Amino acid sequence: MKEYERFERIGTEPHRSYYIPFAENDAIETKHGIQDRASSSRFMSLDGVWQIRQLDHVEDFDIGQELDGEIPVPACVQMHGYDRIQYINARYPFPVMLPHIPYENPCWHYRRTFALEKKCGEKYYLNFEGVDSAFYLYINGQFRGYSQISHATSEFDITELVMSGENTVDVLVLKWCVSTYLECQDKFRFSGIFRSVYLLTRPENHITDYKIETAINGDDGIISFINKSDLDIRLSIGKTEAVAKAGEESTLTVKGICPWSPERPVLYVLTVYANGEKIEERIGFREVSIDGKVFKINGIAVKLKGVNRHDFNCETAATVTLSDMAEDLRLMKELNVNAVRTSHYPNSPEFYLLCDALGIYVMDEADLEMHGACTRGGGYDVSLWKEYAENDFFTPGITDRHAALVERDKNRTSVIIWSLGNESSFGRAFFDGAKYIRSCDKTRPIHYEGLQHADSKYYNTDMVDMVSMMYPTINTIQDKVLNNSEENRPFVLCEYTHAMGNSCGDIAAYWDMIYKNEQLMGGFVWEWADHAIKTDKGFLYGGDFGESEHDGNFCVDGLLTPDRKLKSGALEMKAVYGGKTSSDVCEVTIPKSFCTSTSAVAIEVNEHTGEITSIKADGKEILRTPLHINITRYTDNDRALLSHWNGQCALNSCRPHIFSCIKTENSYTLEGALAANCRMPAVKFKLEYTVLANTLTVSVSYTLADYVRSFPRFGFEFGVDKGHTEFSYVGFGPTESYADKHVACEYGYYESTAEENYDKRYIRPQESGSHYACRYFSVKDLFSMTAAEPFSCSVNPFTTEQIKKTPHYFQLAENDFVNVCIDVAMRGIGSNSCGPELPAEYEIPREGSNTFTFVF
């Protein structure tokens, strides 16, 4: 069997904790508040420009072949003109022929040189922090090894192969290998040397590994240092020193410590010395425990106010810099986030140092997802998932991933939970890995949501310490956890309130429950930031690169844009994570109209459609498009309803039909329905338009048909001249607000413009800029409006129809008018793009009415 069709790694060093050795006389500098490893004289970065050549097959590789291109390292090859960009969610990107890989498997031959003054008594270790998906390593033309696990560090002892002077490194990177069956994560599928490469110079006899554990005893901190090396190690923290004998444990006590927490992430410098080297560990004193049903840090119940985060930059893809990571964490702190789940693989080692320093809890997840297992039959069959989880073939691959996870990050204070992986079911193939983690680290609990999709006999396994779910309803949590007398474990939402597009309408409801129940640990929003590729014309997503298999804009599902601009969902999360779960209507003085009233208004009505085709104020036309009934919208969270709305109900094809029209000198009274060909009416309505001097009164009522189970909205839409972009309202603002999404807002009087109101940050255009529970609305120099009942309203540059039909923001055509929407009722936002259905209380009423009074 070929190397790339089995899980063996060849020639790599055992997994170890992350550290960078320094010479004893090195001055350790910092960058972004953490150790700058480049300041070590024992560290040589091999990042930079490498030569490269793309090959069609593994067998096309020749160590001596000419390489005709250049590429920066680290980087993803697809971002530099090689192969193709592809976004795919829950499917394998090739024919599923376990353990085989297609013959057509693109590869990339990398090469660079480096100069070395080789010294007797020193060893040289080459480290690759991330290569997707597998690679062969050659030093000076000689084979040194083969490795896989894309998001794990691969370390090679190359001492015997290097020489003084110029040395050549050749690397053959494979797009796919057998590990790809274990790396089917929901993300763009990138390849190449995407994380840093560096050389470490070490003494012949040197520190190899160690484990640091902390405990708190009253005001004192206890450090347990387990020496896993074959030499004695000297330890120093403050004025306290100790020696850890080879293979033994040593204990140090630090008096009067401040426990580590997100609020006070105090770190203490522990220096580790041996044989001319020093390693600096910045550690915090913290304890993780589960007390019955309650998850605790330092003996206190905590709530994990979390997000799921992928490594992603819209210009460099899976390659992220230290600055990128630091900026993400800074923004998280600003948004009241205190925890991150590394979905669905370990992040760069320096990410955890930043979390230690800034105070962010980490659920550290193994590089493991077998989502494609359940779709390989053409549908979505959970039994196929279980089949892979029970397949002993995967045992060595899964176990190695769990070892790589826990060994590398075991000394990071911020890591409080280990996660076995994501969406891979559970079975025999997991046993050895889960037991490895447990044996290696008894100080942290283990998480795994995959039990929800495994054989029921595993549900209460002692290999996992908490209950985890994705996207359950509030009632599910109540019934299966809180009201279940047999459920004695803490509960966490590893994914919830799917933040795709205009979303997070349900986050306040989740946290109203979480804050009230100690058993509920908290949750991690899916996800931190949109995935989309920045181009000259705008952001692109799945299907925009000519790929035949893709999952569209499902990757555009973040609280932030790809370039880290906040969307309204992020603000809603910030408010809720800050402790607020409601925002109430209050008394607000409705301002006097800021325009001079006209003396007379005249209207024209199409008696066959009910549209107002003309409104003239003192002879001046107000409308640029007719005032018509508006019943549709698009949000990503409405995706599951599109077949009902546009199929069964045919709402996109509904046209108004007037059954009766009574016209007087100053009024129209109409009854009708909205119906499509071949369909019963979806909704019946009554309209009354009355003109009195400079006032137009619009009364409307509607009744939904019995076969309509959900309805987007019922209201009016019309266009006014583009010169009238300024508007004001009394309602929830200043950001967009909906029936279930207004906790980040306050009730009050606000002013805005059409350009400011529509959120251009939605890469896939969708409903945006509505304001909920309004009592007053005005478009400057045109009209002011009040209503008998609260309503929703918006003024935007684009029509509902444009927003529904346009796949990218940059494709929206400019209009010579601004679009006004006034809604009697608008359904809530929810998070049903991947989450639960919208609660019934946020659907629009089956009957509704309101009376709007316009003063021109």
Side-chain angles (χ1 to χ4, degrees):
M1 187 183 290
K2 307 176 184 74
E3 293 91 355
Y4 54 83
E5 292 185 346
R6 60 180 188 264
F7 290 112
E8 181 184 3
R9 294 183 303 126
I10 301 170
T12 56
E13 294 296 296
H15 298 299
R16 64 165 175 85
S17 57
Y18 171 77
Y19 59 80
I20 297 296
F22 287 72
E24 282 202 29
N25 59 351
D26 284 343
I28 301 177
E29 299 175 5
T30 60
K31 191 174 185 178
H32 291 289
I34 66 170
Q35 181 184 98
D36 181 3
R37 60 194 188 182
S39 62
S40 170
S41 62
R42 295 187 172 276
F43 175 93
M44 178 193 296
S45 174
L46 294 186
D47 292 350
V49 177
W50 290 49
Q51 294 176 287
I52 190 172
R53 178 174 180 172
Q54 179 164 312
L55 310 174
D56 294 330
H57 317 286
V58 176
E59 62 195 38
D60 295 340
F61 172 76
D62 184 327
I63 191 67
Q65 64 197 167
E66 181 181 351
L67 308 190
D68 52 7
E70 291 185 339
I71 191 170
V73 168
C76 300
V77 298
Q78 288 85 357
M79 300 299 288
H80 292 269
Y82 298 98
D83 194 39
R84 64 173 186 178
I85 295 173
Q86 181 183 28
Y87 163 64
I88 193 168
N89 173 15
R91 293 174 289 167
Y92 291 122
F94 49 59
V96 183
M97 310 174 292
L98 184 73
H100 304 297
I101 300 300
Y103 174 68
E104 301 292 339
N105 185 13
C107 304
W108 296 274
H109 183 174
Y110 288 76
R111 181 184 295 144
R112 73 156 291 162
T113 60
F114 66 92
L116 183 70
E117 184 181 342
K118 189 174 183 180
K119 296 179 180 179
C120 183
E122 290 192 337
K123 303 193 76 171
Y124 302 92
Y125 294 91
L126 187 57
N127 282 258
F128 294 81
E129 289 192 334
V131 181
D132 197 328
S133 67
F135 66 103
Y136 294 86
L137 173 65
Y138 296 79
I139 303 295
N140 293 325
Q142 298 184 62
F143 175 68
R144 182 60 193 91
Y146 166 85
S147 191
Q148 53 191 316
I149 309 180
S150 295
H151 300 86
T153 299
S154 298
E155 184 172 43
F156 299 87
D157 181 352
I158 61 171
T159 307
E160 299 304 316
L161 300 180
V162 293
M163 56 190 176
S164 289
E166 185 176 83
N167 293 268
T168 301
V169 181
D170 284 273
V171 179
L172 178 65
V173 176
L174 283 61
K175 180 173 182 178
W176 299 316
C177 68
V178 71
S179 282
T180 310
Y181 286 100
L182 297 177
E183 296 177 4
C184 189
Q185 291 101 339
D186 175 14
K187 62 184 179 67
F188 279 98
R189 307 300 174 92
F190 290 111
S191 313
I193 306 174
F194 68 95
R195 287 183 182 166
S196 288
V197 183
Y198 54 86
L199 183 72
L200 296 179
T201 302
R202 311 291 306 274
E204 183 78 33
N205 190 21
H206 59 80
I207 298 167
T208 53
D209 201 9
Y210 50 84
K211 186 173 190 292
I212 301 169
E213 297 178 357
T214 64
I216 300 170
N217 183 16
D219 294 333
D220 299 338
I222 312 298
I223 297 174
S224 296
F225 186 93
I226 299 97
N227 184 356
K228 296 189 172 187
S229 306
D230 294 329
L231 76 171
D232 295 350
I233 296 175
R234 181 165 59 91
L235 308 172
S236 173
I237 184 166
K239 295 181 180 180
T240 303
E241 294 193 351
V243 173
K245 296 288 187 180
E248 296 183 8
E249 179 176 345
S250 183
T251 300
L252 299 89
T253 299
V254 181
K255 298 289 187 180
I257 58 97
C258 177
W260 183 93
S261 69
E263 296 74 29
R264 295 191 68 188
V266 178
L267 298 175
Y268 297 80
V269 178
L270 172 68
T271 308
V272 179
Y273 300 93
N275 206 6
E277 282 188 328
K278 66 179 178 185
I279 298 169
E280 186 178 280
E281 292 282 3
R282 300 182 69 205
I283 61 170
F285 290 94
R286 66 104 187 90
E287 295 178 319
V288 184
S289 61
I290 292 177
D291 183 1
K293 299 179 180 181
V294 183
F295 178 79
K296 294 182 176 182
I297 301 289
N298 300 333
I300 300 170
V302 299
K303 300 296 185 186
L304 303 181
K305 301 173 179 180
V307 293
N308 284 273
R309 177 188 174 276
H310 270 289
D311 274 343
F312 186 79
N313 177 299
C314 60
E315 297 183 87
T316 58
T319 297
V320 295
T321 64
L322 183 62
S323 295
D324 291 335
M325 293 183 280
E327 176 64 8
D328 272 357
L329 293 171
R330 182 191 67 79
L331 286 168
M332 287 179 194
K333 298 290 282 191
E334 287 185 5
L335 293 171
N336 295 323
V337 171
N338 71 2
V340 63
R341 176 181 177 222
T342 64
S343 52
H344 300 291
Y345 42 78
N347 285 187
S348 163
E350 290 180 302
F351 178 81
Y352 303 84
L353 300 180
L354 290 168
C355 291
D356 290 351
L358 293 171
I360 295 283
Y361 296 129
V362 177
M363 177 186 281
D364 201 6
E365 189 151 275
D367 192 355
L368 174 59
E369 179 167 342
M370 295 193 288
H371 216 142
C374 64
T375 60
R376 60 196 159 107
Y380 200 94
D381 186 347
V382 174
S383 69
L384 294 177
W385 233 348
K386 296 176 183 177
E387 184 181 301
Y388 271 24
E390 296 283 10
N391 189 341
D392 293 332
F393 172 78
F394 287 110
T395 296
I398 292 175
T399 303
D400 200 21
R401 285 158 195 276
H402 290 158
L405 170 77
V406 70
E407 294 292 2
R408 195 197 70 176
D409 298 335
K410 59 181 177 282
N411 294 330
R412 298 280 62 83
T413 302
S414 53
V415 175
I416 59 169
I417 299 170
W418 303 115
S419 179
L420 298 182
N422 186 64
E423 292 178 315
S424 300
S425 188
F426 185 81
R428 289 194 312 275
F430 283 76
F431 292 177
D432 289 354
K435 290 175 182 176
Y436 185 97
I437 293 176
R438 186 76 82 199
S439 65
C440 181
D441 182 28
K442 295 179 173 62
T443 68
R444 299 175 179 94
I446 295 175
H447 161 273
Y448 189 52
E449 184 273 343
L451 297 178
Q452 300 292 338
H453 311 285
D455 192 298
S456 59
K457 66 185 179 183
Y458 296 127
Y459 191 72
N460 292 300
T461 175
D462 60 5
M463 298 180 202
V464 176
D465 299 303
M466 60 196 67
V467 185
S468 177
M469 293 183 188
M470 296 180 180
Y471 314 110
T473 64
I474 298 294
N475 288 339
T476 298
I477 299 171
Q478 191 72 51
D479 295 342
K480 291 193 173 182
V481 180
L482 297 177
N483 294 344
N484 182 358
S485 61
E486 296 182 358
E487 186 49 84
N488 297 311
R489 297 168 292 181
F491 173 83
V492 67
L493 289 161
C494 70
E495 294 179 21
Y496 79 113
T497 196
H498 196 261
M500 186 177 181
N502 188 346
S503 189
C504 302
D506 51 8
I507 190 170
Y510 279 114
W511 277 86
D512 188 53
M513 172 179 274
I514 291 168
Y515 283 131
K516 293 174 181 175
N517 293 277
E518 275 199 324
Q519 188 175 7
L520 308 186
M521 297 166 55
F524 297 83
V525 175
W526 185 269
E527 67 173 306
W528 173 241
D530 291 338
H531 300 222
I533 305 300
K534 188 176 183 180
T535 67
D536 290 341
K537 58 184 178 181
F539 290 109
L540 302 181
Y541 48 72
D544 290 334
F545 307 96
E547 68 271 45
S548 55
E549 293 85 29
H550 64 85
D551 285 295
N553 70 318
F554 200 65
C555 54
V556 185
D557 56 359
L559 295 159
L560 280 62
T561 63
D563 54 353
R564 299 327 195 243
K565 304 294 192 301
L566 304 187
K567 296 187 284 186
S568 62
L571 300 178
E572 193 80 352
M573 179 194 71
K574 178 181 181 180
V576 171
Y577 280 5
K580 184 182 177 188
T581 59
S582 65
S583 188
D584 300 323
V585 174
C586 61
E587 290 296 322
V588 177
T589 301
I590 298 176
K592 294 180 181 179
S593 174
F594 47 57
C595 59
T596 303
S597 296
T598 58
S599 58
V601 170
I603 66 171
E604 295 178 11
V605 175
N606 183 325
E607 298 179 21
H608 303 292
T609 65
E611 297 176 339
I612 300 180
T613 56
S614 174
I615 301 175
K616 289 182 178 177
D618 286 345
K620 179 183 177 182
E621 181 60 59
I622 300 295
L623 298 179
R624 289 295 176 267
T625 63
L627 185 154
H628 60 276
I629 293 174
N630 184 23
I631 61 170
T632 64
R633 74 174 191 186
Y634 176 84
T635 75
D636 289 322
N637 286 302
D638 296 334
R639 290 155 56 104
L641 285 166
L642 294 181
S643 61
H644 175 63
W645 289 349
N646 301 333
Q648 183 179 3
C649 303
L651 298 188
N652 278 345
S653 303
C654 278
R655 298 291 178 265
H657 302 272
I658 301 301
F659 306 146
S660 69
C661 176
I662 300 173
K663 180 180 178 182
T664 68
E665 183 178 350
N666 67 340
S667 70
Y668 291 82
T669 302
L670 308 100
E671 291 189 27
L674 289 164
N677 290 343
C678 312
R679 301 289 195 282
M680 298 181 289
V683 58
K684 294 181 179 179
F685 59 83
K686 294 180 181 179
L687 297 171
E688 185 173 344
Y689 304 129
T690 304
V691 174
L692 182 63
N694 68 339
T695 299
L696 168 64
T697 301
V698 178
S699 295
V700 59
S701 64
Y702 71 87
T703 302
L704 301 181
D706 291 342
Y707 76 94
V708 175
R709 70 172 189 266
S710 171
F711 212 67
R713 71 200 305 174
F714 190 94
F716 298 102
E717 181 177 34
F718 57 95
V720 299
D721 188 86
K722 196 170 184 177
H724 298 281
T725 68
E726 296 179 61
F727 70 99
S728 59
Y729 60 95
V730 171
F732 282 106
T735 58
E736 59 192 13
S737 56
Y738 299 85
D740 62 343
K741 182 184 176 181
H742 55 273
V743 174
C745 301
E746 298 292 343
Y747 201 79
Y749 170 76
Y750 298 96
E751 297 178 359
S752 187
T753 67
E755 289 72 23
E756 293 171 352
N757 191 57
Y758 181 80
D759 196 339
K760 303 174 181 64
R761 290 162 289 198
Y762 293 131
I763 293 171
R764 198 296 182 199
Q766 54 201 280
E767 159 60 36
S768 173
S770 189
H771 300 284
Y772 173 64
C774 290
R775 289 283 187 179
Y776 168 85
F777 173 51
S778 176
V779 175
K780 188 175 181 180
D781 296 333
L782 280 187
F783 65 81
S784 60
M785 191 201 82
T786 55
E789 302 292 338
F791 59 92
S792 294
C793 63
S794 66
V795 181
N796 287 329
F798 312 110
T799 67
T800 301
E801 197 67 14
Q802 281 180 288
I803 289 169
K804 286 192 306 181
K805 292 184 175 180
T806 308
H808 300 86
Y809 176 79
F810 62 80
Q811 295 172 315
L812 283 168
E814 188 174 343
N815 296 312
D816 61 359
F817 60 87
V818 293
N819 198 66
V820 179
C821 288
I822 299 167
D823 288 293
V824 176
M826 164 95 76
R827 81 188 298 265
I829 292 298
S831 66
N832 190 223
S833 54
C834 191
E837 292 182 0
L838 189 73
E841 64 193 285
Y842 299 122
E843 295 285 359
I844 78 167
R846 301 199 68 79
E847 296 183 352
S849 63
N850 208 341
T851 297
F852 304 100
T853 302
F854 296 82
V855 177
F856 292 91

